[in-house]
C-alpha cells in the first residue's frame, strides 16, 4: 500500500496514459473493487468469512501480476476490499478488547506501509509491482492457519439497516477523497515537478506518523469518546486540506500533506470499532460491505473528476471541493451519532 500510493499513477503515466485516462482507470478500479467487496461480504456472512478473504487475496495477486506485465486494465481488479471487512469481522470474533486490537492492527499495517513508501528510492516501478505479487502471496499464506468459529448464517436480513444507512456520510467522504487522494503523487509531480524517489520520503514520513497516531487515537477516544475524537481530528484535517493546494513550495506542501493525512486517517480503528459495536455479529460482514460500498461508489467517480481538472491545469479546485464535502459529512456524522457516544 505504501509504495502503490506513490507509483501507480506514475507507472500508468509511463505506460502512455494521460492524466484523464489515469483518473478514469482509478475510478474503474474503485468501482469494480466495491462490487467485489459487496459480493464477498454477503457470501462471507452466508458461508463463513475466511474462505472468501482468501479468494479476495487471490484476485488481488493475479491482478498485480498482469499489471506487472504492463497491462493497465488489470489494475481494476487489484482493489479487492472484500478481504478488509471480512478480516475485521474475524478479528472482532477473537478480540477481548476490539478497540486496541484494531488500533494495533492499523499501526502495524502502516509501519509496513512506511517501508513500502521508501521502495521507489531503490526499485523501479515494475520491480515494486513484482514485489506486490510476492507480498500478496505471503499475506495469503498467513490467512490459511486462521481458525473461524462463525460458520455462516443463511439469513440475509439486515436488521441494522437504519444504523447502516446513517453511515452514508462515508459516501460523501468517498467522493471527496476520490477527487484528490489517489492522484496525490501525480499532483506533486504536476505542481512541483518532483519525481517518485523525491516524494518517497514524504509519503514514508506520512505513513510513519500515522502508524503511531492510529494507536494513540484509541487512547484519545477513551478520554473524549469515539464520536468527538473522529469529529475533532477530521475538522483540523479539513482546515489543512484547504491550505494544501495554496502551498508555495514542495517543503511546505509536504508538511501540510503529512499532518493532514495523520489527522484525517488516525481514527480509522476507532471508526471501525464504532461500526462493529453497532452491528450484530451475524450481520457484520455484509453491513461492513454495504458501508464500504456506499463509500466506494462515489470514490470511484472522484478520480475521473480530479483527473479532468488536473488535465486542464487546475490543481486547486479539486481540493476545495473535497474540503467542502468533508465538512458536510463531518457535520452530519456528529448530528447522527452524538447520542451513540457511550458505545
Amino acid at each position: 500500500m505504501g509504495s502503490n500510493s506513490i507509483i501507480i499513477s506514475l507507472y500508468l503515466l509511463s505506460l502512455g496514459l494521460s492524466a484523464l485516462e489515469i483518473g478514469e482507470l482509478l475510478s474503474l478500479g474503485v468501482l469494480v473493487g466495491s462490487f467485489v467487496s459487496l459480493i464477498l461480504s454477503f457470501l462471507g456472512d452466508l458461508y463463513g468469512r475466511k474462505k472468501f478473504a482468501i479468494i479476495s487475496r487471490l484476485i488481488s495477486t493475479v491482478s498485480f501480476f498482469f499489471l506487472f506485465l504492463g497491462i493497465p486494465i488489470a489494475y481494476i481488479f487489484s482493489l479487492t476490499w472484500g478481504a478488509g471487512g471480512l478480516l475485521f469481522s474475524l478479528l472482532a470474533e477473537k478480540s477481548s478488547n476490539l478497540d486496541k486490537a484494531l488500533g494495533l492492527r492499523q499501526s502495524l499495517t502502516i509501519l509496513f506501509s512506511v517501508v513500502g513508501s521508501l521502495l521507489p528510492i531503490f526499485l523501479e516501478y515494475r520491480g515494486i509491482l513484482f514485489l506486490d505479487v510476492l507480498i500478496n502471496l505471503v499475506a495469503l499464506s498467513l490467512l490459511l492457519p486462521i481458525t473461524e468459529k462463525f460458520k455462516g448464517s443463511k439469513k440475509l436480513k439486515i436488521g441494522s439497516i437504519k444504523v447502516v444507512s446513517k453511515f452514508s456520510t462515508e459516501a460523501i467522504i468517498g467522493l471527496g477523497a476520490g477527487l484528490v487522494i489517489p492522484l496525490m503523487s501525480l499532483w506533486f509531480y504536476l505542481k512541483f515537478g518532483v519525481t517518485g524517489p523525491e516524494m518517497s520520503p514524504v509519503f514514508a514520513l506520512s505513513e510513519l506518523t500515522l502508524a503511531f497516531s492510529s494507536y494513540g487515537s484509541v487512547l484519545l477516544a477513551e478520554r473524549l469518546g469515539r464520536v468527538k475524537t473522529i469529529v475533532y481530528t477530521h475538522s483540523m484535517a479539513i482546515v489543512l486540506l484547504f491550505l494544501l493546494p495554496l502551498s508555495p513550495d514542495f517543503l511546505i506542501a509536504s508538511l501540510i500533506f503529512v499532518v493532514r493525512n495523520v489527522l484525517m486517517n488516525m481514527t480509522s480503528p476507532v471508526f471501525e470499532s464504532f461500526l462493529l459495536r453497532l452491528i450484530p455479529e451475524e450481520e457484520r460482514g455484509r453491513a461492513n460491505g454495504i458501508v464500504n460500498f456506499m463509500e466506494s461508489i462515489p470514490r470511484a467517480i472522484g478520480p475521473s473528476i480530479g483527473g479532468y481538472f488536473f488535465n486542464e491545469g487546475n490543481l486547486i479546485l479539486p481540493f476545495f471541493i473535497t474540503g467542502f464535502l468533508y465538512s458536510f459529512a463531518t457535520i452530519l456524522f456528529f448530528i447522527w451519532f452524538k447520542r451513540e457516544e457511550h458505545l
Side-chain angles (χ1 to χ4, degrees):
M1 290 169 55
S3 59
N4 292 341
S5 65
I6 300 173
I7 72 155
I8 290 298
S9 59
L10 299 177
Y11 176 65
L12 295 174
L13 190 67
S14 73
L15 293 179
L17 277 68
S18 68
L20 178 59
E21 290 170 330
I22 292 171
E24 290 174 340
L25 189 59
L26 295 181
S27 292
L28 188 58
V30 175
L31 188 62
V32 172
S34 65
F35 275 105
V36 172
S37 173
L38 188 64
I39 293 170
L40 292 178
S41 65
F42 270 81
L43 290 173
D45 279 354
L46 283 172
Y47 304 108
R49 286 139 188 170
K50 175 183 171 180
K51 60 176 69 71
F52 294 102
I54 291 174
I55 291 172
S56 173
R57 194 60 64 201
L58 278 171
I59 295 171
S60 181
T61 303
V62 174
S63 174
F64 276 115
F65 177 72
F66 282 106
L67 192 59
F68 159 76
L69 295 179
I71 304 173
I73 195 65
Y75 172 79
I76 68 174
F77 295 104
S78 65
L79 303 178
T80 49
W81 294 332
L86 294 169
L87 290 177
F88 284 145
S89 299
L90 283 171
L91 189 59
E93 177 188 291
K94 296 178 174 296
S95 302
S96 57
N97 189 323
L98 184 58
D99 285 42
K100 290 186 177 180
L102 288 169
L104 180 60
R105 177 194 178 278
Q106 174 84 349
S107 294
L108 290 174
T109 298
I110 297 171
L111 283 173
F112 278 100
S113 188
V114 171
V115 178
S117 298
L118 296 173
L119 289 178
I121 298 176
F122 308 103
L123 296 174
E124 296 181 353
Y125 300 150
R126 294 189 67 218
I128 293 174
L129 290 170
F130 183 72
L131 191 60
D132 271 320
V133 176
L134 299 180
I135 289 173
N136 268 274
L137 288 173
V138 171
L140 176 62
S141 68
L142 291 174
L143 278 171
L144 297 178
I146 294 176
T147 58
E148 180 182 9
K149 294 180 181 178
F150 179 77
K151 300 303 180 183
S153 171
K154 298 303 181 286
K155 297 180 181 179
L156 281 177
K157 178 183 177 182
I158 306 178
S160 55
I161 189 64
K162 290 184 178 180
V163 174
V164 172
S165 65
K166 290 183 179 180
F167 284 96
S168 59
T169 54
E170 289 300 288
I172 305 171
I173 292 286
L175 177 58
L179 281 166
V180 294
I181 303 305
L183 299 168
M184 277 307 304
S185 60
L186 183 61
W187 181 81
F188 275 118
Y189 172 76
L190 295 174
K191 177 77 172 178
F192 303 110
V194 292
T195 64
E198 289 174 314
M199 67 181 78
S200 180
V202 175
F203 280 75
L205 178 62
S206 177
E207 294 297 301
L208 183 62
T209 51
L210 181 58
F212 293 105
S213 62
S214 291
Y215 194 75
S217 72
V218 175
L219 304 179
L220 186 62
E222 291 178 352
R223 296 176 63 89
L224 299 179
R226 295 182 182 88
V227 174
K228 289 181 180 178
T229 297
I230 292 170
V231 170
Y232 290 164
T233 55
H234 282 197
S235 298
M236 290 185 286
I238 291 167
V239 173
L240 293 177
L241 183 66
F242 282 114
L243 296 175
L244 180 56
L246 305 177
S247 303
D249 56 51
F250 177 59
L251 177 60
I252 293 177
S254 298
L255 291 173
I256 295 175
F257 170 75
V258 169
V259 178
R260 189 219 67 86
N261 181 63
V262 168
L263 290 171
M264 194 69 197
N265 297 302
M266 64 184 287
T267 54
S268 291
V270 175
F271 176 85
E272 191 63 39
S273 172
F274 185 60
L275 171 62
L276 291 173
R277 288 173 186 277
L278 291 172
I279 307 299
E281 180 182 4
E282 66 274 10
E283 298 180 11
R284 284 173 176 169
R286 54 186 178 272
N288 209 312
I290 291 172
V291 171
N292 286 337
F293 185 76
M294 289 191 297
E295 191 258 2
S296 299
I297 295 302
R299 183 184 286 265
I301 301 171
S304 293
I305 301 173
Y308 168 79
F309 282 117
F310 286 3
N311 202 55
E312 293 296 311
N314 192 330
L315 303 179
I316 296 178
L317 185 58
F319 289 88
F320 278 65
I321 296 174
T322 295
F324 284 118
L325 290 171
Y326 278 4
S327 300
F328 181 51
T330 301
I331 292 170
L332 282 181
F333 180 84
F334 179 72
I335 292 173
W336 286 345
F337 289 108
K338 60 183 178 181
R339 293 182 181 179
E340 314 291 343
E341 186 68 88
H342 63 284
L343 293 174

